[in-house]
Amino acid sequence: MNGAELLLGADALARHGSRTALICDEERVSFAELAGRVGAAAGVLEDLGLRPGERLLILMRDTPDMAVAWLAALRIGAVAVALNPKLAASELQHVAEDSSARLAIVDECLAASPFSAIAEITASEFRVRAQRRAAAPALPLAAEAPAFMLYSSGTTGHPKGIVHAHRSIAAVGGAFRRIGIGAGDCVLTTSKHFFAYGLEHGLLATLAAGAASVLHPDWPDAGAVIELVSRHRPAAMFSVPTIYRRLLAEPRASLAPLRSVRRFVSAGERLSRPLVEQWQSAVGAELLNLYGMSETFCACMMTPPGTSDGLRTGVPFDTIDVELRDARGDPPLPGEPGILWVRHPAQASGYANLPRESQAQFRDGWFCSRDLFSRDAEGHYIHQGRTDELVKIAGQWVHPGELEEIAALETAVSEAACVPVPDADGLERLALFVTAKVAAGEAERAVREACERLPRHKRPKWVRAVEELPRTATGKVQRYKLREILARELAAKD
């Protein structure tokens, strides 16, 4: 088995060879052309001394060249490691050392490379060499052979490396099948390809389905998304709540091109009922929730069309097993949420170089997500937050997500994030941060009044309006940075 051959081999080309695979600015690449470029690039990697099992770092923007390099690594049995260009130099160096990388391909338009101890080639030089190279054959591999590594987004500490096998490539596209995306369709994914969500739905699933993927080299803002939709009229758009909120902040008339999109999908962070309702009102379309994680690579569950309410996370795909367990590993009591355990055909076997963490979360073929879920009478799973986000206030457990939902319902608020912060006595208290649609003081007052309806132990001690919530490149809120904001404020008052 070879993941690159599965997507671009003779069987795939017989079905889709003449179809467009990638669209980037004015460039259109057919499946047949992409297969030829991947074969030639694989030969260049061999010329550079890359061998089966060795790691290739790819620090590139989302372009056809990046897709070619990533797939070429798989073709010769090497391991592709796509990197976030926005990582700090120290984090990039950590990934290089943690992955034991042999070689790096770096876009010259990015900042100076931090890699000092490994061989390196620029993306343009790599492309020029490939134009003169004959194709290298695809290496037959075991299904369990390593194919690529993902590094977790690193909201706390260093990113963790997750090795996925070639069998993971065969599992892509569960969301496409659920919403009816297939050969000849066009798909726009705003998340980047170093991230599991973007890699699956913006490259691998489209190739597997015979669909075309719209690539955007830069980090998309609302204006760029509207322009891409207007120009390419995708059948589906995969994005994150942050992008959908930014689109809703645009003049209503400018959203008219979005009405041509059949399906909108959201992942990366929790949706909310207000966002789903506002999107329906502005665009006339349903916003579907998708849930997955780097450890399973492919998505796990999704709200079926016609069922999205902003609260339901979804129903598992047919090939995926899920269980809810309590802290002891038993089924939760009736009406109580449980920790989601997943058994997925694309699941990793553990974390690279982290045996203790691997043992804690990967057991007997199952992965512990550490996410709390409940299940409604219709079989829909509903995300309740992270087990490590629970906070004990005045001897009682509180989930910060409950306060975030209450704040998000206020018309004066765009987004909300709640974090525990120790007070002057060292006791945990809650700080609620919001971004305001109106004056900051007005948003803060509205949130305080809404929270007065809660039991006293659940009320936030601090409510602060900020210009924007700090996020990782994948859209996750960096809660430690919010704690730092308040800590600096409190220290200044002492």
Side-chain angles (χ1 to χ4, degrees):
M1 181 181 188
N2 184 297
E5 189 72 358
L6 183 67
L7 299 173
L8 295 171
D11 290 344
L13 295 183
R15 297 191 301 273
H16 310 304
S18 62
R19 297 185 191 277
T20 298
L22 304 176
I23 303 170
C24 185
D25 294 329
E26 302 304 317
E27 184 179 10
R28 287 178 174 262
V29 182
S30 71
F31 277 77
E33 182 185 353
L34 181 60
R37 289 171 63 174
V38 168
V44 175
L45 292 178
E46 287 186 337
D47 296 342
L48 292 169
L50 196 66
R51 297 293 176 255
E54 293 183 331
R55 276 55 171 162
L56 171 68
L57 301 184
I58 302 172
L59 187 63
M60 300 173 66
R61 300 180 303 158
D62 286 358
T63 62
D65 284 344
M66 184 273 180
V68 166
W70 196 95
L71 292 162
L74 273 64
R75 185 176 175 87
I76 64 167
V79 179
V81 188
L83 299 175
N84 175 4
K86 289 192 173 183
L87 286 178
S90 61
E91 292 176 308
L92 289 169
Q93 188 59 36
H94 163 75
V95 172
E97 295 170 358
D98 186 70
S99 64
S100 301
R102 166 75 175 76
L103 176 69
I105 304 176
V106 181
D107 253 339
E108 49 269 67
C109 65
L110 300 175
S113 169
F115 309 126
S116 57
I118 61 175
E120 186 177 313
I121 185 172
T122 66
S124 58
E125 174 63 19
F126 185 75
R127 181 175 59 252
V128 169
R129 290 196 190 188
Q131 291 169 350
R132 301 193 295 261
R133 182 62 160 83
L139 182 68
L141 298 160
E144 294 298 326
F148 61 98
M149 290 184 74
L150 297 170
Y151 273 82
S152 62
S153 53
T155 54
T156 59
H158 282 307
K160 293 184 289 190
I162 305 160
V163 183
H164 284 281
H166 280 260
R167 60 173 163 77
S168 294
I169 307 296
V172 300
F176 281 25
R177 292 185 286 275
R178 182 158 288 181
I179 62 176
I181 298 300
D185 280 330
C186 179
V187 176
L188 170 63
T189 303
T190 66
S191 293
K192 294 304 181 183
H193 293 173
F194 62 80
F195 180 37
Y197 180 37
L199 179 62
E200 181 185 6
H201 301 98
L203 180 60
L204 303 184
T206 56
L207 292 177
S213 178
V214 178
L215 307 184
H216 185 61
D218 300 315
W219 299 82
D221 57 20
V225 171
I226 293 170
E227 193 276 331
L228 290 169
V229 170
S230 179
R231 187 195 304 183
H232 302 294
R233 299 179 66 84
M237 174 174 152
F238 288 74
S239 193
V240 296
T242 300
I243 294 292
Y244 288 116
R245 291 189 190 99
R246 290 174 182 169
L247 285 166
L248 288 172
E250 295 294 303
R252 186 64 60 94
S254 70
L255 302 182
L258 300 174
R259 291 183 172 270
S260 68
V261 180
R262 294 204 312 264
R263 299 293 186 191
F264 293 96
V265 180
S266 179
E269 57 181 322
R270 287 202 300 175
L271 277 178
S272 67
R273 190 187 297 275
L275 180 57
V276 169
E277 292 174 348
Q278 290 164 19
W279 190 259
Q280 179 71 45
S281 174
V283 181
E286 191 177 28
L287 196 53
L288 300 174
N289 209 344
L290 184 71
Y291 172 82
M293 60 207 85
S294 297
E295 289 83 355
T296 64
F297 171 49
C298 298
C300 300
M301 65 175 75
M302 184 180 189
T303 47
T307 67
S308 182
D309 62 1
L311 300 179
R312 289 169 163 170
T313 305
V315 176
F317 297 125
D318 293 340
T319 57
I320 296 156
D321 297 319
V322 300
E323 289 183 357
L324 296 183
R325 306 177 188 176
D326 62 18
R328 297 183 300 274
D330 299 323
L333 295 173
E336 292 292 320
I339 303 167
L340 185 76
W341 287 74
V342 180
R343 185 165 57 189
H344 198 299
Q347 190 164 299
S349 58
Y351 298 113
N353 309 315
L354 296 171
R356 184 174 299 176
E357 288 86 342
S358 298
Q359 186 178 17
Q361 289 187 256
F362 294 85
R363 298 181 190 173
D364 303 321
W366 291 81
F367 171 70
C368 176
S369 70
R370 293 183 175 169
D371 283 326
L372 286 171
F373 278 84
S374 59
R375 189 167 182 262
D376 67 19
E378 298 177 359
H380 295 266
Y381 286 80
I382 302 168
H383 189 231
Q384 303 292 331
R386 298 276 299 173
T387 56
D388 51 8
E389 290 175 354
L390 289 172
V391 184
K392 185 165 281 190
I393 306 290
Q396 301 183 68
W397 288 110
V398 178
H399 200 288
E402 182 179 353
L403 280 77
E404 294 171 0
E405 291 290 341
I406 290 171
L409 290 171
E410 294 301 310
T411 57
V413 172
S414 295
E415 299 180 274
C418 185
V419 297
V421 177
D423 64 13
D425 298 320
L427 301 175
E428 293 279 30
R429 294 291 184 262
L430 296 175
L432 186 54
F433 291 83
V434 299
T435 57
K437 294 181 180 177
V438 293
E442 184 179 338
E444 290 177 359
R445 283 192 300 274
V447 169
R448 288 195 184 95
E449 290 173 3
C451 290
E452 284 297 315
R453 299 191 292 268
L454 291 170
R456 183 173 295 277
H457 70 278
K458 290 187 176 182
R459 298 173 193 169
K461 182 177 177 61
W462 303 279
V463 177
R464 296 291 186 270
V466 293
E467 288 190 7
E468 61 180 358
L469 298 178
R471 297 180 181 276
T472 68
T474 62
K476 295 180 181 178
V477 176
Q478 293 176 306
R479 297 176 187 274
Y480 73 93
K481 288 190 176 180
L482 294 174
R483 285 190 284 269
E484 290 174 354
I485 290 172
L486 188 59
R488 288 195 296 268
E489 177 191 322
L490 297 178
K493 293 180 178 178
D494 291 342

